[in-house]
Amino acid sequence: MIAWYADHFVLPLPETHRFPMAKYRQLRERVAAELPDVELREPAAATDAELCRAHDAGYVDRASRGELSVNEIRTIGFPWSPEMIERSRRSAGATMSACRTALREGVSANLAGGTHHAKHASGAGYCVFNDAAVATRMLQAECGIARVAIVDLDVHQGDGTADILGDAEDVFTLSLHGDRNFPFRKEVSHLDVALPDDTGDQAYLAALDQALTTMSRRFDPQFVIYLAGADPFEGDRLGRLKLTRAGLAARDARVFDFCRRRELPLAVTMAGGYAERIEDIVAIHFATISAARTLHRPAS
């Protein structure tokens, strides 16, 4: 399986910043050390034209030039820098590359991505550009894919994805998230499943089963992009849904089985994770990558 990474494009942050940027490097290092059948590749950066399939051209230009307002930067949550833009472009490029690879080989992954709070004309919540939305429109513009499903299982609603794609008839946006969690003003996805605090494994998995069934009744995807957030974990500082690692593994298995039974190509992105111990975040993402390999089929 091919996995795409961009952690060496480092976003400079203050030492006191709460975002666990080191998780990306540690995940790549663990994949390289323990999964020899996963080939790691560096993606190209997303171009302006690719980004503007999902984003307002003026926003892309102002973000790239460092001309966002103080409030816009505060909403994103990262200090502006050229490195922030380069990394954001590479992350979107990695998801596009994973999608192209999955069309040939069944599955591929971005060892980052899942930047689902970025809206059409703004960023938010550590998200500058929305990689899933950008990749969706790339699949449709370049790859002959008419219908894409985005299955967002980060603990936070994919409000940016809903803002960009929620009214589209050729996309299905599914978000399973914490009802009382960020963002506090939700957007409307094609299917939103809002869960209470302390949901736990059993109720979460039942809700996911029902959501996937509902999606399959309402939409016939040709491709799936999966946001495999680590933040529903019981040890996450921001999550509150209280899933165990076994529950998260069962969650991944349900998505992978959904794609396997329908022979759908799948691109996996990591999305959020804010556990006290960065090793826990890495372990959850690593388990997702390891399990995704079962969907790989060698390119002919």
Side-chain angles (χ1 to χ4, degrees):
M1 187 180 83
I2 295 171
W4 301 84
Y5 71 96
D7 60 272
H8 54 309
F9 295 96
V10 177
L11 172 59
L13 294 176
E15 289 186 7
T16 56
H17 200 283
R18 69 190 302 185
F19 189 83
M21 190 65 64
K23 68 179 182 178
Y24 301 118
R25 172 184 54 80
Q26 292 184 24
L27 176 60
R28 173 181 52 80
E29 290 173 346
R30 186 167 176 188
V31 169
E34 299 183 35
L35 299 178
D37 59 340
V38 174
E39 178 183 346
L40 295 167
R41 292 187 184 178
E42 175 187 309
T47 66
D48 283 0
E50 289 167 334
L51 294 174
C52 288
R53 289 178 180 141
H55 290 289
D56 174 73
Y59 168 67
V60 171
D61 182 65
R62 290 188 303 107
S64 300
R65 292 175 179 271
E67 296 175 356
L68 298 177
S69 69
V70 171
N71 185 60
E72 286 175 309
I73 290 295
R74 183 183 300 113
T75 301
I76 289 172
F78 291 141
W80 187 90
S81 66
E83 293 87 350
M84 179 188 81
I85 298 303
E86 180 68 13
R87 175 167 177 77
S88 299
R89 286 180 181 271
R90 295 281 177 170
S91 186
T95 298
M96 287 192 292
S97 294
C99 288
R100 294 186 185 105
T101 304
L103 287 172
R104 300 191 308 269
E105 303 185 11
V107 65
S108 185
N110 176 2
L111 299 187
T115 48
H116 61 166
H117 298 309
K119 297 184 178 183
H120 176 65
S122 61
Y126 307 137
C127 304
V128 180
F129 304 127
N130 191 309
D131 62 301
V134 169
T136 293
R137 290 315 192 195
M138 180 278 300
L139 284 166
Q140 295 172 327
E142 298 180 13
C143 302
I145 297 297
R147 301 179 304 279
V148 179
I150 300 174
V151 177
D152 188 341
L153 303 187
D154 189 278
V155 81
H156 305 109
Q157 194 215 23
D159 60 324
T161 310
D163 174 73
I164 298 169
L165 299 173
D167 292 331
E169 296 183 356
D170 55 0
V171 181
F172 195 95
T173 55
L174 164 60
S175 181
L176 201 74
H177 53 263
D179 183 34
R180 298 175 59 193
N181 215 316
F182 179 87
F184 301 107
R185 180 186 178 277
K186 306 291 193 289
E187 300 289 341
V188 179
S189 310
H190 293 89
L191 178 58
D192 286 300
V193 181
L195 301 170
D197 289 355
D198 305 319
T199 289
D201 293 347
Q202 184 175 357
Y204 184 97
L205 295 171
L208 175 57
D209 288 339
Q210 182 59 53
L212 292 173
T213 297
T214 300
M215 183 176 76
S216 66
R217 288 174 179 164
R218 292 171 50 186
F219 190 75
D220 182 25
Q222 295 171 298
F223 195 102
V224 173
I225 299 175
Y226 172 35
L227 279 65
D231 42 13
F233 176 53
E234 60 187 351
D236 196 272
R237 291 181 288 117
L238 306 180
R240 306 206 300 266
L241 288 187
K242 299 296 177 67
L243 270 66
T244 65
R245 287 197 194 178
L248 289 165
R251 172 202 69 172
D252 292 345
R254 278 163 164 77
V255 176
F256 298 156
D257 185 60
F258 178 90
C259 293
R260 181 185 295 108
R261 287 186 284 110
R262 292 163 178 79
E263 298 183 341
L264 293 170
L266 172 68
V268 185
T269 69
M270 299 297 97
Y274 306 92
E276 292 289 350
R277 289 170 17 98
I278 198 167
E279 295 87 353
D280 290 331
I281 309 171
V282 172
I284 292 165
H285 287 324
F286 178 83
T288 298
I289 297 299
S290 183
R293 289 148 59 232
T294 63
L295 295 177
H296 180 256
R297 58 175 188 267
S300 56

Coordinates of all heavy atoms in Angstrom, one line a residue, residues 227-275:
L227 N -12.4 10.0 6.8 CA -11.7 10.8 7.9 C -11.7 10.0 9.1 O -12.7 9.9 9.8 CB -12.3 12.2 8.1 CG -12.0 13.3 7.1 CD1 -12.5 12.9 5.7 CD2 -12.6 14.6 7.5
A228 N -10.6 9.4 9.5 CA -10.5 8.4 10.6 C -9.9 9.1 11.8 O -8.8 8.8 12.3 CB -9.6 7.2 10.2
G229 N -10.7 10.1 12.4 CA -10.2 10.8 13.5 C -9.8 9.9 14.7 O -10.6 9.0 15.0
A230 N -8.8 10.3 15.4 CA -8.4 9.6 16.6 C -9.1 10.2 17.8 O -8.9 9.7 19.0 CB -6.9 9.6 16.8
D231 N -9.8 11.3 17.7 CA -10.3 12.0 18.8 C -11.6 11.5 19.5 O -12.0 12.0 20.5 CB -10.4 13.5 18.5 CG -11.0 13.8 17.1 OD1 -11.5 12.9 16.5 OD2 -10.9 15.0 16.7
P232 N -12.3 10.5 18.9 CA -13.4 9.9 19.7 C -12.8 9.1 20.9 O -13.6 8.6 21.7 CB -14.1 9.0 18.7 CG -13.9 9.6 17.4 CD -12.4 10.1 17.5
F233 N -11.5 8.9 21.0 CA -10.9 8.0 22.0 C -11.2 8.5 23.4 O -11.2 9.7 23.7 CB -9.4 8.1 21.7 CG -8.5 7.3 22.7 CD1 -8.8 6.0 23.0 CD2 -7.4 8.0 23.3 CE1 -8.0 5.4 23.9 CE2 -6.6 7.3 24.1 CZ -6.9 6.0 24.5
E234 N -11.3 7.6 24.3 CA -11.6 7.9 25.7 C -10.6 8.7 26.4 O -10.8 9.4 27.4 CB -11.9 6.6 26.5 CG -10.7 5.7 26.5 CD -11.0 4.3 27.1 OE1 -12.1 4.2 27.7 OE2 -10.2 3.4 27.1
G235 N -9.3 8.7 25.9 CA -8.2 9.4 26.5 C -8.0 10.8 25.8 O -7.0 11.4 26.1
D236 N -8.9 11.2 24.9 CA -8.7 12.4 24.2 C -9.1 13.6 25.0 O -10.1 13.6 25.7 CB -9.5 12.4 22.9 CG -9.1 13.5 21.9 OD1 -9.6 14.6 22.0 OD2 -8.2 13.2 21.1
R237 N -8.3 14.7 25.0 CA -8.6 15.9 25.8 C -9.9 16.6 25.3 O -10.5 17.3 26.1 CB -7.4 16.8 25.7 CG -6.2 16.3 26.5 CD -5.0 17.3 26.4 NE -4.5 17.4 25.0 CZ -4.5 18.5 24.3 NH1 -5.1 19.6 24.7 NH2 -3.9 18.5 23.1
L238 N -10.2 16.5 24.0 CA -11.3 17.3 23.4 C -12.5 16.4 23.0 O -13.5 16.9 22.7 CB -10.7 18.0 22.2 CG -9.5 18.9 22.4 CD1 -9.2 19.6 21.1 CD2 -9.8 19.9 23.5
G239 N -12.3 15.1 23.0 CA -13.3 14.2 22.3 C -14.6 14.0 23.1 O -15.7 14.2 22.6
R240 N -14.5 13.4 24.3 CA -15.7 13.1 25.2 C -16.6 12.0 24.7 O -17.6 11.8 25.4 CB -16.4 14.4 25.4 CG -15.6 15.6 25.9 CD -16.5 16.6 26.7 NE -17.5 17.2 25.9 CZ -17.5 18.3 25.3 NH1 -16.4 19.0 25.3 NH2 -18.5 18.8 24.6
L241 N -16.4 11.3 23.6 CA -17.3 10.3 23.2 C -16.9 8.9 23.9 O -17.7 8.0 23.9 CB -17.3 10.1 21.7 CG -18.0 11.2 20.9 CD1 -18.1 10.8 19.5 CD2 -19.4 11.5 21.5
K242 N -15.7 8.8 24.4 CA -15.3 7.7 25.2 C -15.2 6.4 24.5 O -15.6 5.3 25.0 CB -16.2 7.6 26.5 CG -16.2 8.8 27.4 CD -14.8 9.0 28.0 CE -14.7 10.3 28.8 NZ -15.6 10.2 30.0
L243 N -14.7 6.4 23.3 CA -14.5 5.1 22.6 C -13.1 4.5 23.1 O -12.2 5.2 23.3 CB -14.4 5.3 21.1 CG -15.8 5.1 20.4 CD1 -16.7 6.2 20.8 CD2 -15.6 5.1 18.9
T244 N -13.1 3.2 23.2 CA -11.8 2.5 23.5 C -11.0 2.3 22.2 O -11.6 2.5 21.1 CB -12.1 1.1 24.1 OG1 -12.8 0.3 23.1 CG2 -13.0 1.3 25.4
R245 N -9.8 1.9 22.3 CA -9.1 1.5 21.1 C -9.7 0.4 20.3 O -9.7 0.4 19.1 CB -7.6 1.1 21.5 CG -6.8 2.3 21.9 CD -5.3 1.9 21.8 NE -4.5 2.8 22.5 CZ -3.1 2.7 22.6 NH1 -2.5 1.6 22.1 NH2 -2.4 3.6 23.3
A246 N -10.3 -0.6 21.1 CA -11.0 -1.6 20.4 C -12.2 -1.1 19.6 O -12.5 -1.5 18.5 CB -11.4 -2.7 21.4
G247 N -12.9 -0.1 20.2 CA -14.0 0.5 19.6 C -13.6 1.2 18.3 O -14.3 1.2 17.3
L248 N -12.5 1.9 18.4 CA -12.0 2.6 17.2 C -11.6 1.7 16.1 O -11.9 1.9 14.9 CB -10.9 3.5 17.6 CG -11.2 4.8 18.4 CD1 -10.0 5.4 19.1 CD2 -12.0 5.8 17.6
A249 N -11.0 0.6 16.5 CA -10.7 -0.5 15.5 C -11.9 -1.0 14.8 O -11.9 -1.3 13.6 CB -9.8 -1.5 16.1
A250 N -12.9 -1.3 15.6 CA -14.2 -1.8 15.1 C -14.8 -0.8 14.2 O -15.5 -1.1 13.1 CB -15.1 -2.2 16.2
R251 N -14.7 0.5 14.5 CA -15.2 1.6 13.6 C -14.5 1.5 12.3 O -15.2 1.5 11.2 CB -14.9 2.9 14.3 CG -15.2 4.1 13.5 CD -14.4 5.4 13.9 NE -13.0 5.2 13.7 CZ -12.1 6.2 13.9 NH1 -12.6 7.4 14.3 NH2 -10.8 6.1 13.7
D252 N -13.2 1.5 12.3 CA -12.4 1.4 11.0 C -12.9 0.2 10.2 O -13.1 0.2 9.0 CB -10.9 1.3 11.3 CG -10.4 2.6 11.9 OD1 -11.0 3.6 11.8 OD2 -9.2 2.5 12.4
A253 N -13.0 -1.0 10.9 CA -13.4 -2.2 10.2 C -14.7 -2.1 9.5 O -14.9 -2.7 8.4 CB -13.4 -3.4 11.2
R254 N -15.7 -1.4 10.1 CA -17.0 -1.2 9.5 C -16.9 -0.4 8.2 O -17.5 -0.7 7.2 CB -17.9 -0.6 10.5 CG -18.6 -1.6 11.5 CD -19.2 -0.8 12.6 NE -20.1 -1.7 13.4 CZ -19.7 -2.6 14.2 NH1 -18.4 -2.9 14.4 NH2 -20.6 -3.3 14.9
V255 N -16.1 0.7 8.2 CA -15.9 1.5 7.0 C -15.2 0.6 6.0 O -15.6 0.6 4.8 CB -15.1 2.7 7.3 CG1 -14.9 3.5 6.1 CG2 -15.9 3.6 8.3
F256 N -14.1 -0.1 6.4 CA -13.4 -0.9 5.4 C -14.3 -2.0 4.8 O -14.2 -2.3 3.6 CB -12.1 -1.5 6.0 CG -11.2 -0.4 6.5 CD1 -10.3 -0.7 7.5 CD2 -11.1 0.9 6.0 CE1 -9.4 0.2 8.0 CE2 -10.3 1.8 6.4 CZ -9.4 1.5 7.4
D257 N -15.1 -2.6 5.6 CA -16.0 -3.6 5.1 C -17.0 -3.1 4.2 O -17.4 -3.7 3.2 CB -16.6 -4.4 6.3 CG -17.5 -5.5 5.9 OD1 -16.9 -6.5 5.3 OD2 -18.7 -5.5 6.1
F258 N -17.5 -1.9 4.5 CA -18.5 -1.2 3.6 C -17.9 -1.0 2.2 O -18.5 -1.3 1.2 CB -18.8 0.1 4.2 CG -19.8 1.0 3.4 CD1 -21.2 0.8 3.6 CD2 -19.3 1.9 2.5 CE1 -22.0 1.6 2.8 CE2 -20.2 2.6 1.7 CZ -21.6 2.5 1.9
C259 N -16.6 -0.6 2.2 CA -16.0 -0.4 0.9 C -15.6 -1.7 0.2 O -15.8 -1.9 -1.0 CB -14.7 0.4 1.1 SG -15.0 2.1 1.6
R260 N -15.2 -2.7 1.0 CA -14.8 -4.0 0.4 C -16.0 -4.7 -0.2 O -15.9 -5.2 -1.3 CB -14.2 -4.9 1.5 CG -13.8 -6.3 1.0 CD -13.3 -7.2 2.2 NE -12.1 -6.6 2.8 CZ -12.1 -6.1 4.0 NH1 -13.2 -6.0 4.7 NH2 -11.0 -5.6 4.5
R261 N -17.1 -4.7 0.5 CA -18.3 -5.4 -0.1 C -18.8 -4.7 -1.3 O -19.4 -5.4 -2.2 CB -19.4 -5.4 1.0 CG -19.1 -6.4 2.1 CD -20.3 -6.6 3.1 NE -20.4 -5.4 4.0 CZ -21.4 -4.5 4.0 NH1 -22.3 -4.6 3.1 NH2 -21.4 -3.5 4.9
R262 N -18.6 -3.4 -1.5 CA -19.1 -2.7 -2.7 C -18.0 -2.5 -3.7 O -18.2 -1.8 -4.7 CB -19.7 -1.4 -2.2 CG -21.0 -1.6 -1.5 CD -21.4 -0.3 -0.7 NE -22.6 -0.5 0.0 CZ -22.8 -1.2 1.2 NH1 -21.7 -1.7 1.7 NH2 -24.0 -1.3 1.7
E263 N -16.8 -3.0 -3.4 CA -15.6 -2.8 -4.3 C -15.4 -1.3 -4.6 O -15.1 -0.9 -5.7 CB -15.8 -3.6 -5.6 CG -15.9 -5.1 -5.3 CD -15.9 -5.9 -6.6 OE1 -16.3 -5.4 -7.6 OE2 -15.6 -7.1 -6.5
L264 N -15.4 -0.5 -3.5 CA -15.2 0.9 -3.7 C -13.8 1.3 -3.4 O -13.3 0.9 -2.3 CB -16.2 1.7 -2.7 CG -17.7 1.6 -3.0 CD1 -18.5 2.2 -1.9 CD2 -18.0 2.3 -4.3
P265 N -13.1 2.1 -4.2 CA -11.8 2.6 -3.8 C -11.9 3.5 -2.7 O -12.9 4.3 -2.5 CB -11.3 3.3 -5.1 CG -12.6 3.6 -5.9 CD -13.6 2.5 -5.5
L266 N -10.9 3.5 -1.8 CA -10.9 4.3 -0.5 C -9.7 5.0 -0.3 O -8.6 4.5 -0.4 CB -11.1 3.3 0.6 CG -11.0 3.8 2.0 CD1 -12.2 4.8 2.3 CD2 -11.0 2.7 3.0
A267 N -9.8 6.3 0.0 CA -8.7 7.1 0.5 C -8.9 7.4 1.9 O -10.0 7.9 2.3 CB -8.6 8.4 -0.3
V268 N -7.9 7.2 2.8 CA -8.0 7.3 4.2 C -7.2 8.5 4.6 O -6.0 8.7 4.3 CB -7.5 6.1 5.0 CG1 -7.7 6.2 6.5 CG2 -8.2 4.8 4.4
T269 N -7.7 9.4 5.5 CA -7.0 10.5 6.1 C -7.1 10.4 7.6 O -8.0 9.8 8.1 CB -7.5 11.9 5.6 OG1 -8.8 12.1 6.1 CG2 -7.6 11.9 4.1
M270 N -6.2 11.1 8.3 CA -6.1 10.9 9.7 C -7.0 11.8 10.6 O -7.4 11.4 11.6 CB -4.6 11.1 10.2 CG -3.6 10.1 9.5 SD -3.9 8.4 9.9 CE -4.9 7.8 8.5
A271 N -7.2 13.0 10.1 CA -8.0 13.9 10.9 C -7.5 14.2 12.3 O -6.3 14.1 12.5 CB -9.5 13.5 10.9
G272 N -8.4 14.4 13.3 CA -7.9 14.9 14.6 C -7.5 13.9 15.6 O -7.8 12.7 15.4
G273 N -6.8 14.4 16.6 CA -6.4 13.5 17.7 C -5.7 14.4 18.7 O -4.7 15.1 18.4
Y274 N -6.1 14.4 20.0 CA -5.6 15.3 21.0 C -5.5 14.7 22.4 O -5.7 15.3 23.4 CB -6.5 16.6 21.1 CG -6.8 17.2 19.8 CD1 -7.9 16.9 19.0 CD2 -5.9 18.2 19.3 CE1 -8.1 17.5 17.8 CE2 -6.1 18.8 18.1 CZ -7.2 18.4 17.3 OH -7.4 19.0 16.1
A275 N -5.1 13.4 22.4 CA -4.9 12.7 23.6 C -3.7 13.3 24.4 O -2.8 13.9 23.9 CB -4.6 11.2 23.4

